[in-house]
Short mmCIF file of all heavy atoms in Angstrom, two decimals:
data_model
loop_
_atom_site.label_atom_id
_atom_site.label_comp_id
_atom_site.label_asym_id
_atom_site.label_seq_id
_atom_site.Cartn_x
_atom_site.Cartn_y
_atom_site.Cartn_z
N MET A 230 -2.18 0.55 21.35
CA MET A 230 -2.13 1.52 20.28
C MET A 230 -3.00 0.99 19.14
O MET A 230 -2.83 -0.14 18.70
CB MET A 230 -0.68 1.68 19.81
CG MET A 230 -0.57 2.29 18.45
SD MET A 230 1.10 2.21 17.75
CE MET A 230 1.76 3.70 18.42
N LYS A 231 -3.92 1.83 18.66
CA LYS A 231 -4.75 1.46 17.52
C LYS A 231 -3.92 1.45 16.25
O LYS A 231 -3.04 2.28 16.07
CB LYS A 231 -5.90 2.47 17.33
CG LYS A 231 -7.14 2.12 18.05
CD LYS A 231 -8.25 3.05 17.59
CE LYS A 231 -9.54 2.69 18.24
NZ LYS A 231 -10.63 3.54 17.79
N ILE A 232 -4.20 0.47 15.39
CA ILE A 232 -3.49 0.37 14.12
C ILE A 232 -4.49 0.07 13.01
O ILE A 232 -5.64 -0.31 13.28
CB ILE A 232 -2.41 -0.73 14.16
CG1 ILE A 232 -3.03 -2.09 14.51
CG2 ILE A 232 -1.30 -0.36 15.12
CD1 ILE A 232 -2.07 -3.24 14.42
N GLN A 233 -4.05 0.25 11.78
CA GLN A 233 -4.85 -0.11 10.60
C GLN A 233 -4.28 -1.39 10.03
O GLN A 233 -3.07 -1.53 9.89
CB GLN A 233 -4.81 0.99 9.56
CG GLN A 233 -5.48 2.27 10.00
CD GLN A 233 -5.38 3.33 8.91
OE1 GLN A 233 -4.92 3.08 7.81
NE2 GLN A 233 -5.81 4.52 9.23
N VAL A 234 -5.18 -2.33 9.72
CA VAL A 234 -4.75 -3.64 9.23
C VAL A 234 -5.51 -3.98 7.95
O VAL A 234 -6.71 -3.74 7.87
CB VAL A 234 -5.01 -4.74 10.29
CG1 VAL A 234 -4.63 -6.11 9.77
CG2 VAL A 234 -4.26 -4.43 11.58
N GLN A 235 -4.81 -4.51 6.97
CA GLN A 235 -5.44 -5.08 5.78
C GLN A 235 -5.30 -6.58 5.92
O GLN A 235 -4.23 -7.09 6.26
CB GLN A 235 -4.77 -4.60 4.51
CG GLN A 235 -4.98 -3.14 4.23
CD GLN A 235 -4.29 -2.74 2.93
OE1 GLN A 235 -3.32 -3.35 2.52
NE2 GLN A 235 -4.82 -1.71 2.30
N CYS A 236 -6.40 -7.29 5.64
CA CYS A 236 -6.43 -8.74 5.84
C CYS A 236 -6.50 -9.50 4.52
O CYS A 236 -7.01 -8.99 3.53
CB CYS A 236 -7.62 -9.14 6.70
SG CYS A 236 -7.48 -8.52 8.38
N ARG A 237 -6.03 -10.71 4.58
CA ARG A 237 -6.18 -11.65 3.47
C ARG A 237 -7.60 -12.20 3.51
O ARG A 237 -8.27 -12.10 4.53
CB ARG A 237 -5.21 -12.82 3.62
CG ARG A 237 -3.78 -12.45 3.66
CD ARG A 237 -2.90 -13.69 3.86
NE ARG A 237 -1.57 -13.35 4.28
CZ ARG A 237 -0.63 -12.87 3.49
NH1 ARG A 237 -0.87 -12.66 2.23
NH2 ARG A 237 0.57 -12.59 3.96
N GLN A 238 -8.01 -12.82 2.44
CA GLN A 238 -9.28 -13.51 2.46
C GLN A 238 -9.15 -14.60 3.52
O GLN A 238 -8.18 -15.34 3.56
CB GLN A 238 -9.57 -14.13 1.10
CG GLN A 238 -10.96 -14.65 0.96
CD GLN A 238 -11.26 -15.03 -0.48
OE1 GLN A 238 -10.43 -14.96 -1.36
NE2 GLN A 238 -12.48 -15.46 -0.70
N GLY A 239 -10.11 -14.67 4.42
CA GLY A 239 -10.04 -15.60 5.53
C GLY A 239 -9.75 -14.91 6.85
O GLY A 239 -9.88 -15.50 7.90
N GLY A 240 -9.32 -13.64 6.80
CA GLY A 240 -9.18 -12.85 8.02
C GLY A 240 -7.79 -12.70 8.60
O GLY A 240 -7.61 -11.95 9.55
N ASP A 241 -6.77 -13.40 8.06
CA ASP A 241 -5.42 -13.22 8.58
C ASP A 241 -4.86 -11.87 8.14
O ASP A 241 -5.08 -11.43 7.01
CB ASP A 241 -4.49 -14.32 8.06
CG ASP A 241 -4.69 -15.63 8.77
OD1 ASP A 241 -5.46 -15.70 9.75
OD2 ASP A 241 -4.07 -16.62 8.33
N PRO A 242 -4.10 -11.20 9.03
CA PRO A 242 -3.47 -9.93 8.65
C PRO A 242 -2.50 -10.10 7.49
O PRO A 242 -1.76 -11.08 7.42
CB PRO A 242 -2.71 -9.52 9.91
CG PRO A 242 -3.30 -10.32 11.02
CD PRO A 242 -3.80 -11.57 10.41
N ARG A 243 -2.53 -9.14 6.56
CA ARG A 243 -1.62 -9.14 5.40
C ARG A 243 -0.61 -8.02 5.54
O ARG A 243 0.58 -8.21 5.34
CB ARG A 243 -2.42 -8.98 4.12
CG ARG A 243 -1.57 -8.95 2.87
CD ARG A 243 -2.41 -8.97 1.61
NE ARG A 243 -3.50 -8.04 1.64
CZ ARG A 243 -3.61 -6.98 0.86
NH1 ARG A 243 -2.70 -6.73 -0.04
NH2 ARG A 243 -4.65 -6.18 0.95
N THR A 244 -1.08 -6.82 5.86
CA THR A 244 -0.22 -5.66 6.12
C THR A 244 -0.84 -4.86 7.26
O THR A 244 -2.03 -4.97 7.54
CB THR A 244 -0.09 -4.73 4.90
OG1 THR A 244 -1.37 -4.20 4.57
CG2 THR A 244 0.51 -5.44 3.70
N PHE A 245 -0.01 -4.05 7.92
CA PHE A 245 -0.54 -3.15 8.95
C PHE A 245 0.33 -1.91 9.04
O PHE A 245 1.49 -1.91 8.65
CB PHE A 245 -0.67 -3.86 10.31
CG PHE A 245 0.59 -4.42 10.89
CD1 PHE A 245 1.27 -3.74 11.89
CD2 PHE A 245 1.09 -5.65 10.48
CE1 PHE A 245 2.42 -4.27 12.45
CE2 PHE A 245 2.23 -6.19 11.03
CZ PHE A 245 2.91 -5.50 12.02
N LEU A 246 -0.30 -0.83 9.51
CA LEU A 246 0.38 0.46 9.64
C LEU A 246 0.66 0.73 11.11
O LEU A 246 -0.24 0.65 11.94
CB LEU A 246 -0.48 1.59 9.10
CG LEU A 246 -0.74 1.60 7.60
CD1 LEU A 246 -1.74 2.68 7.24
CD2 LEU A 246 0.56 1.82 6.84
N VAL A 247 1.91 1.05 11.40
CA VAL A 247 2.31 1.52 12.73
C VAL A 247 2.88 2.90 12.50
O VAL A 247 3.96 3.04 11.93
CB VAL A 247 3.36 0.58 13.37
CG1 VAL A 247 3.80 1.13 14.71
CG2 VAL A 247 2.80 -0.82 13.53
N GLY A 248 2.14 3.92 12.90
CA GLY A 248 2.51 5.29 12.55
C GLY A 248 2.48 5.43 11.05
O GLY A 248 1.50 5.07 10.40
N ALA A 249 3.58 5.86 10.45
CA ALA A 249 3.66 6.01 9.00
C ALA A 249 4.32 4.81 8.34
O ALA A 249 4.56 4.82 7.14
CB ALA A 249 4.44 7.28 8.67
N HIS A 250 4.61 3.77 9.11
CA HIS A 250 5.32 2.61 8.59
C HIS A 250 4.34 1.49 8.23
O HIS A 250 3.57 1.03 9.06
CB HIS A 250 6.33 2.08 9.60
CG HIS A 250 7.36 3.08 9.98
ND1 HIS A 250 8.44 3.39 9.17
CD2 HIS A 250 7.45 3.87 11.07
CE1 HIS A 250 9.16 4.31 9.76
NE2 HIS A 250 8.58 4.63 10.91
N ARG A 251 4.41 1.06 6.97
CA ARG A 251 3.58 -0.06 6.49
C ARG A 251 4.43 -1.31 6.55
O ARG A 251 5.52 -1.39 5.97
CB ARG A 251 3.14 0.20 5.05
CG ARG A 251 2.27 -0.89 4.47
CD ARG A 251 1.88 -0.51 3.04
NE ARG A 251 1.10 -1.54 2.43
CZ ARG A 251 1.60 -2.55 1.71
NH1 ARG A 251 2.91 -2.64 1.52
NH2 ARG A 251 0.82 -3.45 1.19
N LEU A 252 3.94 -2.31 7.31
CA LEU A 252 4.68 -3.55 7.49
C LEU A 252 3.92 -4.70 6.84
O LEU A 252 2.71 -4.84 7.05
CB LEU A 252 4.88 -3.83 8.98
CG LEU A 252 5.67 -2.75 9.73
CD1 LEU A 252 5.62 -2.99 11.22
CD2 LEU A 252 7.10 -2.71 9.23
N GLU A 253 4.63 -5.52 6.09
CA GLU A 253 4.02 -6.66 5.42
C GLU A 253 4.25 -7.92 6.26
O GLU A 253 5.36 -8.22 6.67
CB GLU A 253 4.62 -6.86 4.04
CG GLU A 253 3.94 -7.97 3.28
CD GLU A 253 4.39 -8.05 1.84
OE1 GLU A 253 5.00 -7.08 1.34
OE2 GLU A 253 4.13 -9.08 1.22
N VAL A 254 3.17 -8.63 6.52
CA VAL A 254 3.24 -9.87 7.28
C VAL A 254 3.77 -10.97 6.36
O VAL A 254 3.22 -11.22 5.29
CB VAL A 254 1.85 -10.26 7.83
CG1 VAL A 254 1.88 -11.63 8.49
CG2 VAL A 254 1.34 -9.20 8.80
N THR A 255 4.87 -11.60 6.78
CA THR A 255 5.42 -12.70 5.99
C THR A 255 4.95 -14.05 6.50
O THR A 255 4.96 -15.02 5.75
CB THR A 255 6.96 -12.67 5.98
OG1 THR A 255 7.42 -12.74 7.33
CG2 THR A 255 7.47 -11.40 5.31
N ARG A 256 4.53 -14.08 7.78
CA ARG A 256 4.07 -15.34 8.34
C ARG A 256 3.20 -15.09 9.57
O ARG A 256 3.54 -14.27 10.41
CB ARG A 256 5.27 -16.18 8.73
CG ARG A 256 4.92 -17.56 9.17
CD ARG A 256 6.14 -18.41 9.26
NE ARG A 256 5.72 -19.76 9.62
CZ ARG A 256 6.54 -20.72 9.93
NH1 ARG A 256 7.83 -20.49 9.91
NH2 ARG A 256 6.09 -21.90 10.25
N VAL A 257 2.09 -15.82 9.65
CA VAL A 257 1.28 -15.83 10.87
C VAL A 257 1.79 -16.99 11.70
O VAL A 257 1.74 -18.15 11.28
CB VAL A 257 -0.22 -15.99 10.56
CG1 VAL A 257 -1.03 -16.11 11.85
CG2 VAL A 257 -0.73 -14.80 9.73
N LEU A 258 2.33 -16.70 12.87
CA LEU A 258 2.96 -17.71 13.72
C LEU A 258 1.96 -18.36 14.67
O LEU A 258 2.15 -19.52 15.06
CB LEU A 258 4.09 -17.08 14.53
CG LEU A 258 5.19 -16.42 13.70
CD1 LEU A 258 6.10 -15.59 14.58
CD2 LEU A 258 5.96 -17.48 12.94
N GLU A 259 0.93 -17.61 15.05
CA GLU A 259 -0.03 -18.13 16.02
C GLU A 259 -1.34 -17.38 15.87
O GLU A 259 -1.36 -16.18 15.59
CB GLU A 259 0.53 -17.92 17.43
CG GLU A 259 -0.32 -18.44 18.54
CD GLU A 259 0.31 -18.17 19.90
OE1 GLU A 259 1.54 -17.94 19.98
OE2 GLU A 259 -0.43 -18.18 20.88
N ARG A 260 -2.44 -18.10 16.05
CA ARG A 260 -3.79 -17.51 16.06
C ARG A 260 -4.48 -17.97 17.33
O ARG A 260 -4.35 -19.14 17.70
CB ARG A 260 -4.62 -18.01 14.88
CG ARG A 260 -4.15 -17.62 13.54
CD ARG A 260 -4.97 -18.36 12.46
NE ARG A 260 -4.40 -18.18 11.16
CZ ARG A 260 -3.41 -18.89 10.65
NH1 ARG A 260 -2.86 -19.86 11.35
NH2 ARG A 260 -2.95 -18.66 9.45
N ALA A 261 -5.22 -17.07 17.96
CA ALA A 261 -5.99 -17.43 19.14
C ALA A 261 -7.26 -16.60 19.16
O ALA A 261 -7.29 -15.48 18.66
CB ALA A 261 -5.18 -17.19 20.41
N ALA A 262 -8.31 -17.17 19.72
CA ALA A 262 -9.58 -16.45 19.83
C ALA A 262 -10.15 -16.68 21.22
O ALA A 262 -10.08 -17.78 21.76
CB ALA A 262 -10.56 -16.94 18.77
N GLU A 263 -10.69 -15.61 21.78
CA GLU A 263 -11.32 -15.68 23.09
C GLU A 263 -12.49 -14.70 23.09
O GLU A 263 -12.29 -13.50 22.95
CB GLU A 263 -10.32 -15.32 24.18
CG GLU A 263 -10.87 -15.47 25.57
CD GLU A 263 -9.82 -15.16 26.62
OE1 GLU A 263 -8.69 -15.61 26.50
OE2 GLU A 263 -10.18 -14.43 27.56
N ASN A 264 -13.69 -15.24 23.21
CA ASN A 264 -14.90 -14.43 23.13
C ASN A 264 -14.89 -13.59 21.85
O ASN A 264 -14.85 -14.12 20.77
CB ASN A 264 -15.08 -13.59 24.39
CG ASN A 264 -15.25 -14.46 25.62
OD1 ASN A 264 -15.91 -15.49 25.58
ND2 ASN A 264 -14.64 -14.06 26.71
N SER A 265 -14.88 -12.27 21.99
CA SER A 265 -14.94 -11.41 20.81
C SER A 265 -13.56 -10.86 20.42
O SER A 265 -13.46 -9.92 19.64
CB SER A 265 -15.89 -10.24 21.07
OG SER A 265 -15.37 -9.41 22.09
N LEU A 266 -12.50 -11.44 20.96
CA LEU A 266 -11.14 -10.96 20.67
C LEU A 266 -10.35 -12.03 19.93
O LEU A 266 -10.32 -13.19 20.34
CB LEU A 266 -10.42 -10.61 21.97
CG LEU A 266 -9.03 -10.01 21.83
CD1 LEU A 266 -9.09 -8.64 21.18
CD2 LEU A 266 -8.36 -9.91 23.19
N ARG A 267 -9.76 -11.63 18.79
CA ARG A 267 -8.85 -12.51 18.07
C ARG A 267 -7.44 -11.96 18.23
O ARG A 267 -7.25 -10.75 18.23
CB ARG A 267 -9.19 -12.58 16.59
CG ARG A 267 -10.50 -13.27 16.33
CD ARG A 267 -10.74 -13.53 14.87
NE ARG A 267 -10.55 -12.32 14.07
CZ ARG A 267 -10.42 -12.32 12.76
NH1 ARG A 267 -10.44 -13.43 12.08
NH2 ARG A 267 -10.27 -11.18 12.10
N ARG A 268 -6.47 -12.85 18.38
CA ARG A 268 -5.08 -12.43 18.55
C ARG A 268 -4.23 -13.17 17.53
O ARG A 268 -4.39 -14.37 17.31
CB ARG A 268 -4.61 -12.77 19.96
CG ARG A 268 -3.21 -12.30 20.27
CD ARG A 268 -2.83 -12.56 21.71
NE ARG A 268 -2.93 -13.95 22.09
CZ ARG A 268 -1.98 -14.87 21.88
NH1 ARG A 268 -0.86 -14.53 21.27
NH2 ARG A 268 -2.14 -16.12 22.26
N PHE A 269 -3.32 -12.43 16.90
CA PHE A 269 -2.40 -12.99 15.91
C PHE A 269 -0.98 -12.62 16.30
O PHE A 269 -0.69 -11.46 16.57
CB PHE A 269 -2.67 -12.39 14.52
CG PHE A 269 -4.04 -12.68 13.98
CD1 PHE A 269 -5.10 -11.84 14.26
CD2 PHE A 269 -4.27 -13.79 13.19
CE1 PHE A 269 -6.36 -12.09 13.76
CE2 PHE A 269 -5.52 -14.06 12.67
CZ PHE A 269 -6.58 -13.21 12.97
N ARG A 270 -0.10 -13.60 16.33
CA ARG A 270 1.33 -13.33 16.46
C ARG A 270 1.90 -13.49 15.06
O ARG A 270 1.78 -14.55 14.44
CB ARG A 270 2.00 -14.30 17.43
CG ARG A 270 3.46 -13.93 17.72
CD ARG A 270 4.02 -14.69 18.90
NE ARG A 270 3.98 -16.12 18.71
CZ ARG A 270 5.01 -16.87 18.28
NH1 ARG A 270 6.17 -16.30 17.99
NH2 ARG A 270 4.87 -18.16 18.14
N VAL A 271 2.49 -12.41 14.54
CA VAL A 271 2.95 -12.39 13.15
C VAL A 271 4.42 -12.01 13.07
O VAL A 271 4.96 -11.37 13.98
CB VAL A 271 2.11 -11.41 12.29
CG1 VAL A 271 0.65 -11.80 12.30
CG2 VAL A 271 2.29 -9.97 12.75
N ARG A 272 5.05 -12.40 11.96
CA ARG A 272 6.43 -12.01 11.68
C ARG A 272 6.41 -11.13 10.43
O ARG A 272 5.67 -11.40 9.49
CB ARG A 272 7.30 -13.23 11.42
CG ARG A 272 8.76 -12.86 11.18
CD ARG A 272 9.65 -14.09 11.09
NE ARG A 272 9.71 -14.74 12.39
CZ ARG A 272 9.73 -16.06 12.56
NH1 ARG A 272 9.68 -16.87 11.54
NH2 ARG A 272 9.81 -16.56 13.77
N VAL A 273 7.24 -10.07 10.43
CA VAL A 273 7.36 -9.20 9.27
C VAL A 273 8.71 -9.46 8.59
O VAL A 273 9.52 -10.24 9.09
CB VAL A 273 7.19 -7.70 9.64
CG1 VAL A 273 5.80 -7.45 10.21
CG2 VAL A 273 8.25 -7.23 10.62
N PHE A 274 8.93 -8.82 7.44
CA PHE A 274 10.07 -9.10 6.57
C PHE A 274 11.43 -9.03 7.25
O PHE A 274 12.34 -9.75 6.87
CB PHE A 274 10.06 -8.18 5.35
CG PHE A 274 10.33 -6.74 5.70
CD1 PHE A 274 11.61 -6.24 5.59
CD2 PHE A 274 9.33 -5.91 6.14
CE1 PHE A 274 11.88 -4.91 5.92
CE2 PHE A 274 9.58 -4.59 6.47
CZ PHE A 274 10.86 -4.10 6.37
N ASP A 275 11.59 -8.18 8.26
CA ASP A 275 12.92 -8.04 8.90
C ASP A 275 13.10 -8.96 10.10
O ASP A 275 14.10 -8.87 10.80
CB ASP A 275 13.19 -6.59 9.28
CG ASP A 275 12.27 -6.06 10.36
OD1 ASP A 275 11.41 -6.82 10.87
OD2 ASP A 275 12.39 -4.87 10.71
N GLY A 276 12.13 -9.85 10.35
CA GLY A 276 12.26 -10.82 11.43
C GLY A 276 11.60 -10.44 12.74
O GLY A 276 11.48 -11.27 13.63
N ARG A 277 11.17 -9.18 12.86
CA ARG A 277 10.48 -8.79 14.09
C ARG A 277 9.14 -9.48 14.18
O ARG A 277 8.53 -9.81 13.16
CB ARG A 277 10.27 -7.27 14.16
CG ARG A 277 11.56 -6.51 14.37
CD ARG A 277 11.31 -5.03 14.41
NE ARG A 277 10.87 -4.60 13.07
CZ ARG A 277 10.31 -3.42 12.82
NH1 ARG A 277 10.08 -2.56 13.78
NH2 ARG A 277 9.96 -3.11 11.58
N GLU A 278 8.69 -9.69 15.41
CA GLU A 278 7.39 -10.31 15.63
C GLU A 278 6.48 -9.32 16.37
O GLU A 278 6.94 -8.58 17.25
CB GLU A 278 7.53 -11.59 16.43
CG GLU A 278 8.29 -12.65 15.67
CD GLU A 278 8.47 -13.95 16.43
OE1 GLU A 278 7.87 -14.11 17.53
OE2 GLU A 278 9.20 -14.82 15.92
N PHE A 279 5.20 -9.34 15.99
CA PHE A 279 4.21 -8.45 16.56
C PHE A 279 3.00 -9.26 16.99
O PHE A 279 2.67 -10.26 16.36
CB PHE A 279 3.73 -7.42 15.52
CG PHE A 279 4.78 -6.45 15.09
CD1 PHE A 279 5.74 -6.81 14.14
CD2 PHE A 279 4.82 -5.16 15.60
CE1 PHE A 279 6.71 -5.92 13.72
CE2 PHE A 279 5.79 -4.25 15.18
CZ PHE A 279 6.74 -4.63 14.25
N VAL A 280 2.35 -8.81 18.05
CA VAL A 280 1.06 -9.37 18.45
C VAL A 280 0.00 -8.34 18.08
O VAL A 280 0.07 -7.18 18.53
CB VAL A 280 1.02 -9.71 19.95
CG1 VAL A 280 -0.38 -10.16 20.35
CG2 VAL A 280 2.03 -10.80 20.27
N LEU A 281 -0.95 -8.75 17.25
CA LEU A 281 -2.04 -7.89 16.81
C LEU A 281 -3.33 -8.41 17.40
O LEU A 281 -3.59 -9.62 17.37
CB LEU A 281 -2.13 -7.89 15.28
CG LEU A 281 -0.84 -7.64 14.50
CD1 LEU A 281 -1.10 -7.73 13.01
CD2 LEU A 281 -0.24 -6.30 14.87
N ARG A 282 -4.16 -7.51 17.92
CA ARG A 282 -5.43 -7.90 18.53
C ARG A 282 -6.58 -7.26 17.78
O ARG A 282 -6.55 -6.06 17.50
CB ARG A 282 -5.45 -7.47 19.99
CG ARG A 282 -4.41 -8.18 20.81
CD ARG A 282 -4.54 -7.84 22.27
NE ARG A 282 -3.59 -8.63 23.02
CZ ARG A 282 -2.80 -8.15 23.96
NH1 ARG A 282 -2.88 -6.88 24.29
NH2 ARG A 282 -1.97 -8.93 24.59
N HIS A 283 -7.58 -8.06 17.48
CA HIS A 283 -8.75 -7.59 16.73
C HIS A 283 -10.00 -7.79 17.57
O HIS A 283 -10.33 -8.92 17.93
CB HIS A 283 -8.86 -8.35 15.41
CG HIS A 283 -9.97 -7.89 14.55
ND1 HIS A 283 -10.70 -8.74 13.77
CD2 HIS A 283 -10.47 -6.65 14.32
CE1 HIS A 283 -11.61 -8.06 13.11
NE2 HIS A 283 -11.48 -6.80 13.43
N ASP A 284 -10.70 -6.69 17.88
CA ASP A 284 -11.95 -6.73 18.62
C ASP A 284 -13.09 -6.90 17.61
O ASP A 284 -13.34 -6.01 16.81
CB ASP A 284 -12.14 -5.44 19.42
CG ASP A 284 -13.36 -5.46 20.31
OD1 ASP A 284 -14.41 -5.99 19.88
OD2 ASP A 284 -13.27 -4.93 21.43
N LEU A 285 -13.75 -8.04 17.63
CA LEU A 285 -14.79 -8.32 16.65
C LEU A 285 -16.03 -7.45 16.85
O LEU A 285 -16.76 -7.20 15.89
CB LEU A 285 -15.18 -9.81 16.71
CG LEU A 285 -14.07 -10.77 16.33
CD1 LEU A 285 -14.51 -12.20 16.56
CD2 LEU A 285 -13.66 -10.57 14.89
N HIS A 286 -16.27 -6.97 18.08
CA HIS A 286 -17.43 -6.11 18.32
C HIS A 286 -17.26 -4.72 17.71
O HIS A 286 -18.17 -4.18 17.10
CB HIS A 286 -17.73 -5.99 19.81
CG HIS A 286 -18.33 -7.21 20.42
ND1 HIS A 286 -19.51 -7.77 19.99
CD2 HIS A 286 -17.91 -7.99 21.43
CE1 HIS A 286 -19.79 -8.83 20.69
NE2 HIS A 286 -18.82 -9.01 21.58
N THR A 287 -16.09 -4.14 17.89
CA THR A 287 -15.87 -2.77 17.42
C THR A 287 -15.18 -2.72 16.06
O THR A 287 -15.21 -1.70 15.39
CB THR A 287 -15.00 -1.98 18.42
OG1 THR A 287 -13.70 -2.58 18.47
CG2 THR A 287 -15.63 -1.95 19.81
N GLY A 288 -14.49 -3.81 15.69
CA GLY A 288 -13.70 -3.82 14.46
C GLY A 288 -12.32 -3.22 14.63
O GLY A 288 -11.53 -3.19 13.68
N ASP A 289 -12.01 -2.73 15.83
CA ASP A 289 -10.71 -2.09 16.08
C ASP A 289 -9.59 -3.11 16.14
O ASP A 289 -9.75 -4.22 16.67
CB ASP A 289 -10.72 -1.34 17.42
CG ASP A 289 -11.58 -0.10 17.39
OD1 ASP A 289 -11.91 0.39 16.29
OD2 ASP A 289 -11.94 0.38 18.49
N TRP A 290 -8.44 -2.72 15.61
CA TRP A 290 -7.20 -3.49 15.72
C TRP A 290 -6.26 -2.73 16.64
O TRP A 290 -6.18 -1.50 16.59
CB TRP A 290 -6.53 -3.64 14.36
CG TRP A 290 -7.16 -4.63 13.46
CD1 TRP A 290 -8.20 -4.41 12.61
CD2 TRP A 290 -6.80 -5.99 13.29
NE1 TRP A 290 -8.52 -5.55 11.93
CE2 TRP A 290 -7.65 -6.55 12.33
CE3 TRP A 290 -5.82 -6.82 13.87
CZ2 TRP A 290 -7.56 -7.87 11.92
CZ3 TRP A 290 -5.73 -8.12 13.46
CH2 TRP A 290 -6.60 -8.64 12.51
N ARG A 291 -5.54 -3.45 17.48
CA ARG A 291 -4.57 -2.84 18.39
C ARG A 291 -3.26 -3.63 18.34
O ARG A 291 -3.26 -4.84 18.15
CB ARG A 291 -5.09 -2.82 19.81
CG ARG A 291 -6.29 -1.92 19.97
CD ARG A 291 -6.60 -1.63 21.41
NE ARG A 291 -7.71 -0.72 21.53
CZ ARG A 291 -7.62 0.59 21.53
NH1 ARG A 291 -6.46 1.17 21.40
NH2 ARG A 291 -8.70 1.34 21.65
N LEU A 292 -2.18 -2.89 18.53
CA LEU A 292 -0.87 -3.50 18.63
C LEU A 292 -0.69 -3.96 20.06
O LEU A 292 -0.76 -3.17 21.00
CB LEU A 292 0.20 -2.47 18.26
CG LEU A 292 1.65 -2.93 18.29
CD1 LEU A 292 1.87 -4.07 17.33
CD2 LEU A 292 2.56 -1.78 17.98
N GLY A 293 -0.49 -5.27 20.24
CA GLY A 293 -0.36 -5.83 21.58
C GLY A 293 1.07 -5.76 22.08
O GLY A 293 1.33 -5.31 23.18
N SER A 294 2.03 -6.19 21.26
CA SER A 294 3.43 -6.16 21.65
C SER A 294 4.32 -6.30 20.43
O SER A 294 3.88 -6.71 19.37
CB SER A 294 3.75 -7.27 22.68
OG SER A 294 3.46 -8.53 22.13
N VAL A 295 5.60 -5.97 20.64
CA VAL A 295 6.61 -6.05 19.58
C VAL A 295 7.79 -6.83 20.15
O VAL A 295 8.19 -6.59 21.30
CB VAL A 295 7.09 -4.66 19.14
CG1 VAL A 295 8.14 -4.75 18.05
CG2 VAL A 295 5.93 -3.78 18.74
N HIS A 296 8.33 -7.75 19.36
CA HIS A 296 9.47 -8.54 19.80
C HIS A 296 10.60 -8.39 18.79
O HIS A 296 10.37 -8.44 17.59
CB HIS A 296 9.09 -10.02 19.94
CG HIS A 296 7.94 -10.22 20.86
ND1 HIS A 296 8.09 -10.35 22.21
CD2 HIS A 296 6.60 -10.26 20.63
CE1 HIS A 296 6.90 -10.48 22.77
NE2 HIS A 296 5.99 -10.43 21.83
N ALA A 297 11.81 -8.23 19.30
CA ALA A 297 12.97 -8.06 18.42
C ALA A 297 13.19 -9.29 17.57
O ALA A 297 12.72 -10.38 17.90
CB ALA A 297 14.21 -7.80 19.28
N ARG A 298 13.88 -9.10 16.50
CA ARG A 298 14.22 -10.18 15.57
C ARG A 298 14.96 -11.28 16.32
O ARG A 298 15.84 -11.03 17.13
CB ARG A 298 15.07 -9.59 14.47
CG ARG A 298 15.70 -10.56 13.55
CD ARG A 298 16.51 -9.91 12.49
NE ARG A 298 17.07 -8.64 12.93
CZ ARG A 298 17.75 -7.82 12.19
NH1 ARG A 298 17.99 -8.12 10.95
NH2 ARG A 298 18.22 -6.70 12.65
N GLN A 299 14.55 -12.52 16.05
CA GLN A 299 15.22 -13.69 16.64
C GLN A 299 16.50 -13.98 15.85
O GLN A 299 16.49 -13.96 14.64
CB GLN A 299 14.30 -14.91 16.59
CG GLN A 299 13.01 -14.71 17.35
CD GLN A 299 13.22 -14.56 18.84
OE1 GLN A 299 14.04 -15.27 19.42
NE2 GLN A 299 12.51 -13.64 19.46
N ARG A 300 17.57 -14.28 16.52
CA ARG A 300 18.85 -14.58 15.85
C ARG A 300 19.10 -16.04 15.78
O ARG A 300 18.74 -16.82 16.52
CB ARG A 300 20.00 -13.88 16.55
CG ARG A 300 19.85 -12.38 16.40
CD ARG A 300 21.06 -11.71 17.00
NE ARG A 300 20.83 -10.28 16.92
CZ ARG A 300 21.55 -9.47 16.21
NH1 ARG A 300 22.55 -9.91 15.51
NH2 ARG A 300 21.30 -8.19 16.20
#
């Protein structure tokens, strides 16, 4: 699913839109890069974790996966 992402200086995601919901990233848990694809595993304010993928060739961001809040 394509998403809109606003980044911090340096390229880490700061906020992103999923449908009409704006989610603020509270922590970047993991960063990975492979060829022209960057992947970020992030946590939002309610504890859920998301994997965001950024294609450097097209500039498109996609939602990779969503994980429930860890208890």
Side-chain angles (χ1 to χ4, degrees):
M230 161 191 272
K231 269 190 177 182
I232 58 174
Q233 294 179 7
V234 177
Q235 292 181 333
C236 294
R237 301 178 196 284
Q238 190 170 3
D241 283 354
R243 179 172 47 113
T244 62
F245 59 101
L246 293 174
V247 177
H250 301 282
R251 181 179 177 269
L252 300 170
E253 184 172 345
V254 174
T255 58
R256 187 168 183 188
V257 176
L258 302 169
E259 182 181 340
R260 295 172 190 84
E263 184 178 315
N264 298 321
S265 66
L266 184 66
R267 292 189 309 165
R268 184 175 58 84
F269 298 88
R270 187 167 60 97
V271 301
R272 183 174 292 142
V273 298
F274 68 96
D275 66 1
R277 289 179 293 165
E278 295 179 8
F279 293 80
V280 174
L281 310 178
R282 296 186 176 134
H283 183 216
D284 185 321
L285 296 174
H286 286 302
T287 65
D289 289 342
W290 284 86
R291 294 194 177 272
L292 180 60
S294 60
V295 180
H296 304 274
R298 171 180 29 184
Q299 299 295 319
R300 294 185 184 244

